[in-house]
PDB file of all heavy atoms in Angstrom:
ATOM      1  N   ILE A1027       4.872  -2.358  10.473  1.00  0.00           N
ATOM      2  CA  ILE A1027       4.089  -3.298  11.249  1.00  0.00           C
ATOM      3  C   ILE A1027       4.946  -4.221  12.187  1.00  0.00           C
ATOM      4  O   ILE A1027       4.563  -4.706  13.252  1.00  0.00           O
ATOM      5  CB  ILE A1027       3.143  -4.184  10.364  1.00  0.00           C
ATOM      6  CG1 ILE A1027       2.091  -4.894  11.156  1.00  0.00           C
ATOM      7  CG2 ILE A1027       3.951  -5.240   9.627  1.00  0.00           C
ATOM      8  CD1 ILE A1027       1.074  -3.919  11.823  1.00  0.00           C
ATOM      9  N   LEU A1028       6.201  -4.501  11.798  1.00  0.00           N
ATOM     10  CA  LEU A1028       7.065  -5.409  12.603  1.00  0.00           C
ATOM     11  C   LEU A1028       7.256  -4.961  14.046  1.00  0.00           C
ATOM     12  O   LEU A1028       7.131  -5.716  14.976  1.00  0.00           O
ATOM     13  CB  LEU A1028       8.431  -5.654  11.961  1.00  0.00           C
ATOM     14  CG  LEU A1028       8.371  -6.553  10.689  1.00  0.00           C
ATOM     15  CD1 LEU A1028       9.789  -6.657  10.146  1.00  0.00           C
ATOM     16  CD2 LEU A1028       7.737  -7.871  10.867  1.00  0.00           C
ATOM     17  N   PRO A1029       7.532  -3.631  14.253  1.00  0.00           N
ATOM     18  CA  PRO A1029       7.644  -3.173  15.671  1.00  0.00           C
ATOM     19  C   PRO A1029       6.335  -3.382  16.431  1.00  0.00           C
ATOM     20  O   PRO A1029       6.401  -3.808  17.656  1.00  0.00           O
ATOM     21  CB  PRO A1029       8.024  -1.718  15.623  1.00  0.00           C
ATOM     22  CG  PRO A1029       8.646  -1.588  14.271  1.00  0.00           C
ATOM     23  CD  PRO A1029       7.905  -2.495  13.334  1.00  0.00           C
ATOM     24  N   ALA A1030       5.195  -3.306  15.816  1.00  0.00           N
ATOM     25  CA  ALA A1030       3.920  -3.549  16.475  1.00  0.00           C
ATOM     26  C   ALA A1030       3.853  -5.020  16.844  1.00  0.00           C
ATOM     27  O   ALA A1030       3.412  -5.382  17.907  1.00  0.00           O
ATOM     28  CB  ALA A1030       2.720  -3.124  15.595  1.00  0.00           C
ATOM     29  N   PHE A1031       4.262  -5.970  15.889  1.00  0.00           N
ATOM     30  CA  PHE A1031       4.350  -7.374  16.285  1.00  0.00           C
ATOM     31  C   PHE A1031       5.190  -7.593  17.520  1.00  0.00           C
ATOM     32  O   PHE A1031       4.883  -8.413  18.385  1.00  0.00           O
ATOM     33  CB  PHE A1031       4.982  -8.124  15.103  1.00  0.00           C
ATOM     34  CG  PHE A1031       4.111  -8.276  13.921  1.00  0.00           C
ATOM     35  CD1 PHE A1031       4.691  -8.758  12.662  1.00  0.00           C
ATOM     36  CD2 PHE A1031       2.784  -7.980  13.867  1.00  0.00           C
ATOM     37  CE1 PHE A1031       3.892  -8.987  11.558  1.00  0.00           C
ATOM     38  CE2 PHE A1031       2.030  -8.125  12.793  1.00  0.00           C
ATOM     39  CZ  PHE A1031       2.549  -8.604  11.596  1.00  0.00           C
ATOM     40  N   GLY A1032       6.354  -6.889  17.611  1.00  0.00           N
ATOM     41  CA  GLY A1032       7.131  -6.995  18.791  1.00  0.00           C
ATOM     42  C   GLY A1032       6.479  -6.599  20.020  1.00  0.00           C
ATOM     43  O   GLY A1032       6.585  -7.262  21.052  1.00  0.00           O
ATOM     44  N   ILE A1033       5.681  -5.468  19.999  1.00  0.00           N
ATOM     45  CA  ILE A1033       4.999  -4.959  21.158  1.00  0.00           C
ATOM     46  C   ILE A1033       3.931  -5.988  21.583  1.00  0.00           C
ATOM     47  O   ILE A1033       3.822  -6.370  22.758  1.00  0.00           O
ATOM     48  CB  ILE A1033       4.372  -3.610  20.868  1.00  0.00           C
ATOM     49  CG1 ILE A1033       5.403  -2.481  20.717  1.00  0.00           C
ATOM     50  CG2 ILE A1033       3.336  -3.192  21.977  1.00  0.00           C
ATOM     51  CD1 ILE A1033       4.861  -1.196  20.221  1.00  0.00           C
ATOM     52  N   ILE A1034       3.197  -6.506  20.649  1.00  0.00           N
ATOM     53  CA  ILE A1034       2.106  -7.472  20.957  1.00  0.00           C
ATOM     54  C   ILE A1034       2.738  -8.762  21.541  1.00  0.00           C
ATOM     55  O   ILE A1034       2.259  -9.380  22.432  1.00  0.00           O
ATOM     56  CB  ILE A1034       1.279  -7.874  19.665  1.00  0.00           C
ATOM     57  CG1 ILE A1034       0.681  -6.582  19.108  1.00  0.00           C
ATOM     58  CG2 ILE A1034       0.177  -8.877  20.001  1.00  0.00           C
ATOM     59  CD1 ILE A1034      -0.173  -5.740  20.076  1.00  0.00           C
ATOM     60  N   SER A1035       3.965  -9.087  21.075  1.00  0.00           N
ATOM     61  CA  SER A1035       4.703 -10.308  21.568  1.00  0.00           C
ATOM     62  C   SER A1035       5.140 -10.081  23.008  1.00  0.00           C
ATOM     63  O   SER A1035       5.503 -11.072  23.687  1.00  0.00           O
ATOM     64  CB  SER A1035       5.840 -10.791  20.612  1.00  0.00           C
ATOM     65  OG  SER A1035       5.315 -10.983  19.344  1.00  0.00           O
ATOM     66  N   GLN A1036       5.264  -8.870  23.430  1.00  0.00           N
ATOM     67  CA  GLN A1036       5.631  -8.657  24.827  1.00  0.00           C
ATOM     68  C   GLN A1036       4.367  -8.690  25.650  1.00  0.00           C
ATOM     69  O   GLN A1036       4.444  -9.109  26.822  1.00  0.00           O
ATOM     70  CB  GLN A1036       6.281  -7.213  24.960  1.00  0.00           C
ATOM     71  CG  GLN A1036       7.491  -6.975  24.163  1.00  0.00           C
ATOM     72  CD  GLN A1036       8.718  -7.787  24.725  1.00  0.00           C
ATOM     73  OE1 GLN A1036       9.419  -8.398  23.930  1.00  0.00           O
ATOM     74  NE2 GLN A1036       8.904  -7.744  25.997  1.00  0.00           N
ATOM     75  N   ILE A1037       3.310  -8.145  25.166  1.00  0.00           N
ATOM     76  CA  ILE A1037       2.119  -7.911  26.033  1.00  0.00           C
ATOM     77  C   ILE A1037       1.285  -9.244  26.221  1.00  0.00           C
ATOM     78  O   ILE A1037       0.891  -9.574  27.316  1.00  0.00           O
ATOM     79  CB  ILE A1037       1.213  -6.848  25.373  1.00  0.00           C
ATOM     80  CG1 ILE A1037       1.885  -5.507  25.491  1.00  0.00           C
ATOM     81  CG2 ILE A1037      -0.169  -6.815  26.023  1.00  0.00           C
ATOM     82  CD1 ILE A1037       1.331  -4.397  24.697  1.00  0.00           C
ATOM     83  N   VAL A1038       1.147 -10.023  25.123  1.00  0.00           N
ATOM     84  CA  VAL A1038       0.306 -11.259  25.246  1.00  0.00           C
ATOM     85  C   VAL A1038       0.803 -12.158  26.303  1.00  0.00           C
ATOM     86  O   VAL A1038       0.080 -12.610  27.196  1.00  0.00           O
ATOM     87  CB  VAL A1038       0.139 -11.884  23.874  1.00  0.00           C
ATOM     88  CG1 VAL A1038      -0.462 -13.315  24.046  1.00  0.00           C
ATOM     89  CG2 VAL A1038      -0.731 -11.000  22.930  1.00  0.00           C
ATOM     90  N   PRO A1039       2.153 -12.520  26.384  1.00  0.00           N
ATOM     91  CA  PRO A1039       2.641 -13.360  27.441  1.00  0.00           C
ATOM     92  C   PRO A1039       2.398 -12.762  28.785  1.00  0.00           C
ATOM     93  O   PRO A1039       2.119 -13.526  29.772  1.00  0.00           O
ATOM     94  CB  PRO A1039       4.106 -13.563  27.074  1.00  0.00           C
ATOM     95  CG  PRO A1039       4.237 -13.186  25.711  1.00  0.00           C
ATOM     96  CD  PRO A1039       3.220 -12.136  25.380  1.00  0.00           C
ATOM     97  N   ALA A1040       2.621 -11.419  28.925  1.00  0.00           N
ATOM     98  CA  ALA A1040       2.451 -10.785  30.239  1.00  0.00           C
ATOM     99  C   ALA A1040       1.061 -11.044  30.885  1.00  0.00           C
ATOM    100  O   ALA A1040       0.931 -11.338  32.008  1.00  0.00           O
ATOM    101  CB  ALA A1040       2.831  -9.295  30.151  1.00  0.00           C
ATOM    102  N   PHE A1041       0.051 -10.887  30.057  1.00  0.00           N
ATOM    103  CA  PHE A1041      -1.359 -10.921  30.541  1.00  0.00           C
ATOM    104  C   PHE A1041      -1.949 -12.326  30.420  1.00  0.00           C
ATOM    105  O   PHE A1041      -3.022 -12.600  30.872  1.00  0.00           O
ATOM    106  CB  PHE A1041      -2.175  -9.852  29.825  1.00  0.00           C
ATOM    107  CG  PHE A1041      -1.817  -8.514  30.184  1.00  0.00           C
ATOM    108  CD1 PHE A1041      -0.894  -7.790  29.364  1.00  0.00           C
ATOM    109  CD2 PHE A1041      -2.294  -7.945  31.377  1.00  0.00           C
ATOM    110  CE1 PHE A1041      -0.524  -6.482  29.783  1.00  0.00           C
ATOM    111  CE2 PHE A1041      -1.923  -6.576  31.718  1.00  0.00           C
ATOM    112  CZ  PHE A1041      -1.012  -5.951  30.929  1.00  0.00           C
ATOM    113  N   ALA A1042      -1.249 -13.244  29.635  1.00  0.00           N
ATOM    114  CA  ALA A1042      -1.632 -14.624  29.721  1.00  0.00           C
ATOM    115  C   ALA A1042      -0.889 -15.331  30.804  1.00  0.00           C
ATOM    116  O   ALA A1042      -1.173 -16.480  31.124  1.00  0.00           O
ATOM    117  CB  ALA A1042      -1.396 -15.331  28.325  1.00  0.00           C
TER     118      ALA A1042
END
Side-chain angles (χ1 to χ4, degrees):
I1027 198 65
L1028 288 181
F1031 287 169
I1033 292 171
I1034 303 305
S1035 300
Q1036 301 289 133
I1037 291 172
V1038 169
F1041 292 92

